[in-house]
Structures are given as C-alpha cells and as structure tokens.
Amino acid sequence: MAYFLQQLINGIAQGGMYALIALGYTMVYGIVELINFAHGDVYTLGTFLCIAILAAIGVAEGGHVIGGWQGALIALLVIALAALLCGVIGVLIERLAYRRLRNAPRLAPLITAIGVSFLLQGIMRNWKGPSEISFPQFLPNPTFAFNGVHVDARELLVVAVSVAMMIVLQLFIYNTKIGKAMRATAQDRDAAALMGINVNSTIAWTFFIGSALAGVAGFISGMYFGTTMFTNGYQAGLKAFTAAVLGGIGNIAGAMLGGFLIGIVEAFTSGYISDQWTNVVVFSILVLILVFRPAGLLGEQLPEKV
C-alpha cells in the first residue's frame, strides 16, 4: 500500500507539470485550432531562462541553500520573469510565424509549428550546448515521511504551483474582459469580430498566457528534476499534448485532468512494469483516445472551449 501511495504522489507531481504545459496546447487549439508543436520547446526555454535569471542574481549551481522569505522571494521573482519572457516569446511566435497563416490550409501552420520547434531547439543548443545542464537547487528540500510514504518539499512545490496557476487561469478566463473575449473568439471568431472584439489582440493574449504557463512549468520542472536539456521539450510536449487530447483538447478543465492522469499512469507504469514501457503506455492512450473518443474525457460534458 505504501508503494502504491508513493507512486501516486510521484504521478501527481509529474502530472502537475504536464497539466501546466497542456493548458498552452489546449488554449491555442481552442481559439485558432492549431496544434502548436513549438509549445514544448517554449517550456524548455523557460527552464533555460530561469537558469540565466538565477545566474544574473548570483544564485548558481552548487551554491548555498536559501531558505525563509529570501528563498521564497527569489522563487517568485524567477517565476514571474520566466513567465513574462516566455509570454513575450509566445506572442512573437504567433505574430511572426502563425498570424499570416491563420486562413491557410491546416497543413501550413502545422509544418510551421514544427519548424519553429526546431528553431527554438537550435537556439537553446547553441546557447547552452548539447549536454545536460544543472538547475540550481537553491530552495531547502525537507522530506516528510508517514507510514513509509515520503513526500519532499519539491513535490509539494510542483503541486502547489500547478494548482494555483490553474485556479488563477480559471478565474481569469471566466471573470475578466479578456477572458470573456477569448471564450467568444473560441466559439465563433467571425461573430466575435462583428461584436467588436479585437480578434488579433485576443489571440495574442492566448499565446501570451499559454506560453507564460510554460515558463512557470519550466521553473518547477528545473526544481523537480534538477537538470534540463535542449531536447526535453520534445517529449514533454508530446506527453502534454496527449494529456490535452485525453481530457478533451480545447477544454481547460480537461487539460488539467488529462495532465494529472497521464502523470499518474506514467508513475504506475514505471513503478509496476518498467521505465522502458512508460512511453508505450502513454502514447497508446493517445491512439486509443483518438480512435474511440476523439472528444476526450470531458469533451461532451464541457463543450465550451477556452
């Protein structure tokens, strides 16, 4: 039982990161029906930016652990800056690579997204090199044990930040003018424009928010795994996309649910079968969902997109 609970905790922590990345996929798809394959690389770029920001403020790998309010302040500062920078990068990608292709056949923006993905990977490889790089572990990491189940502070950080970001996003979407414009644009872009909504601005905000969440995921991923690499976004992005499809792509609640479910499935597969089978199981779920329930788990219950 203790081992089961331990794998469940591991899966929830992993799933929190997938959920944050999946939100970006589902928001963009919900509003422009584009599978933005570059989104996973924006997440990895977020981790790289966090390392650069930490270095700029004097927090380096192998340095002292910073506890108390100083550590919390540094973490909040890094999260905010990484989210802002990734958000701006997302807006630039939309403006320069996708906007002109908005009314083109779907294959054109899809191929462009793959091209942007390789472009970002190339930039990160030339910036930090082709090898794995360490993420400064500046926060204390006490471990709590109960009946053989261990939970460390970094797992709690991942879950707390993920859930907080999701709640903030839900409140933003349903209680702000921009959020209502996003929902209207997702329902019918032409009708939204006729009602006076600036569709270009709304889509840019969607890319900004989705990419900012990827930046937050980049920070908690760095704290959780301790390392990163320029190719990490490829596989993480595909699993987050699977999570978005599982929950019902275009549906925010579905992306959250799908992210946590994929994380839990991955943890149980790794714990009870083998690490080598995790990708087989996860991507089998993607195929099964696309074949038998393409709307996803919440696709029918919550049809309203974004």
Side-chain angles (χ1 to χ4, degrees), residues 120 213 231 246 259:
L120 292 176
L213 290 173
T231 55
L246 175 62

Side-chain angles (χ1 to χ4, degrees), residues 96-181:
L96 299 176
Y98 299 150
R99 184 172 295 186
R100 287 178 177 274
L101 300 174
R102 199 174 291 162
N103 297 315
R106 289 190 177 186
L107 188 59
L110 193 66
I111 292 174
T112 304
I114 295 171
V116 174
S117 170
F118 284 119
L119 172 68
L120 292 176
Q121 286 186 26
I123 291 172
M124 289 186 283
R125 183 186 59 194
N126 291 332
W127 181 17
K128 293 288 185 182
S131 304
E132 230 174 37
I133 57 175
S134 298
F135 192 96
Q137 301 298 296
F138 65 97
L139 293 175
N141 187 33
T143 300
F144 310 96
F146 181 74
N147 286 344
V149 179
H150 296 81
V151 182
D152 62 44
R154 285 171 194 158
E155 289 172 326
L156 295 176
L157 173 71
V158 171
V159 176
V161 172
S162 301
V163 172
M165 288 295 106
M166 293 169 196
I167 292 172
V168 169
L169 179 63
Q170 284 283 42
L171 293 174
F172 180 85
I173 293 294
Y174 288 97
N175 296 284
T176 67
K177 188 175 178 181
I178 296 173
K180 291 173 183 174

Side-chain angles (χ1 to χ4, degrees), residues 17 29 33 52 57 65 69 99 104 106 134 139 143 171 180-182 219 224 232 262 266 293 297 305:
M17 281 179 281
Y29 184 85
E33 296 188 347
I57 59 178
V65 172
W69 67 269
R99 184 172 295 186
R106 289 190 177 186
S134 298
L139 293 175
T143 300
L171 293 174
K180 291 173 183 174
M182 291 165 66
F219 174 80
Y224 186 70
N232 279 3
I262 289 295
E266 191 177 77
R293 193 177 171 84
L297 296 177
K305 299 181 293 181

Side-chain angles (χ1 to χ4, degrees), residues 159-243:
V159 176
V161 172
S162 301
V163 172
M165 288 295 106
M166 293 169 196
I167 292 172
V168 169
L169 179 63
Q170 284 283 42
L171 293 174
F172 180 85
I173 293 294
Y174 288 97
N175 296 284
T176 67
K177 188 175 178 181
I178 296 173
K180 291 173 183 174
M182 291 165 66
R183 291 163 55 203
T185 305
Q187 289 293 314
D188 190 323
R189 198 187 306 169
D190 294 330
L194 289 173
M195 296 301 292
I197 293 173
N198 187 330
V199 173
N200 286 334
S201 173
T202 303
I203 293 174
W205 270 106
T206 304
F207 272 84
F208 179 86
I209 295 168
S211 300
L213 290 173
V216 176
F219 174 80
I220 60 175
S221 166
M223 292 303 300
Y224 186 70
F225 293 112
T227 60
T228 188
M229 192 175 178
F230 76 97
T231 55
N232 279 3
Y234 174 72
Q235 194 168 98
L238 285 179
K239 288 182 179 176
F241 173 68
T242 303

